[in-house]
Amino acid sequence: MRDQLSNLVFSTEKGALCPGCKEALDQCRCDQLADQQRLDSLDGVIRIRRETSGRKGKGVTTITGVPLADKALKDMAKKLKQQCGTGGSLKDGVIEIQGDHREKLKQLLEKQGYQVKLAGG
């Protein structure tokens, strides 16, 4: 019985380890590792598409494949939303801009030197 109780599951001490990277919680690198893994999987082409599924018929323009780290990706999303004059969000490395702004976004990204494709219908 004593052995079963001695297995530590959770600790609030500073010495607690992250379950993902096994580092101390204040030195956890899980976000960096996930971001690096996302960047490594990209092929260098940014894809822009219009989607309505799961949004009650409201269309959004999604931008995937941007080869930027998380902080720079957030800054880019903010600038693109301002350029389009609309709202949007950043979810799992995908920039979502409200409305259909494919052509405008393609021009903006090509000016920045990215290779861009319009994907989907």
Side-chain angles (χ1 to χ4, degrees), residues 40-61:
D40 291 342
S41 69
L42 299 178
D43 62 356
V45 178
I46 296 176
R47 290 175 174 78
I48 301 175
R49 69 172 29 156
R50 183 175 177 272
E51 294 183 9
T52 57
S53 64
R55 295 177 173 85
K56 299 180 183 178
K58 305 284 185 179
V60 297
T61 305

